[in-house]
Amino acid sequence: DAGVTQSPTHLIKTRGQQVTLRCSPISGHKSVSWYQQVLGQGPQFIFQYYEKEERGRGNFPDRFSARQFPNYSSELNVNALLLGDSALYLCASSPGPGQYEQYFGPGTRLTVT
Amino acid sequence: DQQVKQNSPSLSVQEGRISILNCDYTNSMFDYFLWYKKYPAEGPTFLISISSIKDKNEDGRFTVFLNKSAKHLSLHIVPSQPGDSAVYFCAASRMAGANNLFFGTGTRLTVIP
């Protein structure tokens, strides 16, 4: 079975631009979460979606937004990019609420110059 | 406010010996704990977990111990193998809300052949 997939693998953007990252969960998983990992730190929670509804949001500015589609795939959007947004963006899927184990994709490495 | 802490950034162990990775948490509302392993250029891989109603969970060479009174958990790997060399993240979650994961900063384990 395919695991969590993310695209693109790498991305270079300029300050002020906008970026869209994509994630496809494991087949049968209905919950998708997004995390940001900066160098030397653990992943930080950004959003969780279940059945297309936002179930949780971490401490990130409104420049960050996400959505989930009927096929449970998800997009993370970041507007007005800052240098500090440079990080590895990880997507994780789980069967649904109450399922603690989350399964991560390989991530998208975003560099903002 | 770091709610999950891994105070040892790195650990080196001889092949065949025991590796012990430690993790502390501050939020008494956490009721589930997980360990993830991460190789470079890959997403975190789920390793083992433990519910707060247990104090030990074992899976092959991996055992996780939970001491709720001390708000401390540890991961034991016996025997350690060179392929175990990776960054290990401790994570915690709670049933309420989005049950998103709170991660520590990671411990880099090096198993020396």
Side-chain angles (χ1 to χ4, degrees), chain B residues 14-17 19 61 77 79-85 109 111-112:
Chain B
Q14 208 71 32
E15 180 179 4
R17 306 294 287 268
S19 296
R61 296 186 297 114
I77 306 174
S80 300
Q81 300 173 353
D84 296 329
S85 297
L109 173 66
V111 180
I112 304 164

Side-chain angles (χ1 to χ4, degrees), chain A residues 84-98:
Chain A
D85 295 331
S86 295
L88 179 68
Y89 288 85
L90 294 161
C91 175
S93 76
S94 65

Side-chain angles (χ1 to χ4, degrees), chain B residues 19-65:
Chain B
S19 296
I20 300 176
L21 296 97
N22 294 302
C23 177
D24 298 292
Y25 61 96
T26 58
N27 190 336
S28 58
M29 298 300 291
F30 289 142
D31 54 14
Y32 205 80
F33 304 89
L34 309 91
W35 284 94
Y36 283 83
K37 177 171 71 173
K38 188 177 186 301
Y39 294 117
E42 294 183 13
T45 301
F46 170 70
L47 203 55
I48 192 170
S49 60
I50 187 168
S51 164
S52 61
I53 63 174
K54 296 184 176 180
D55 54 18
K56 176 183 175 181
N57 188 27
E58 190 172 355
D59 183 2
R61 296 186 297 114
F62 303 90
T63 303
V64 56
F65 295 92

Side-chain angles (χ1 to χ4, degrees), chain B residues 58-103:
Chain B
E58 190 172 355
D59 183 2
R61 296 186 297 114
F62 303 90
T63 303
V64 56
F65 295 92
L66 175 62
N67 182 335
K68 283 186 293 182
S69 61
K71 295 192 177 66
H72 177 84
L73 64 155
S74 60
L75 174 68
H76 293 209
I77 306 174
V78 183
S80 300
Q81 300 173 353
D84 296 329
S85 297
V87 177
Y88 288 78
F89 289 98
C90 170
S93 185
R94 53 186 184 222
M95 177 61 82
N99 61 271
N100 52 286
L101 299 177
F102 294 82
F103 283 88

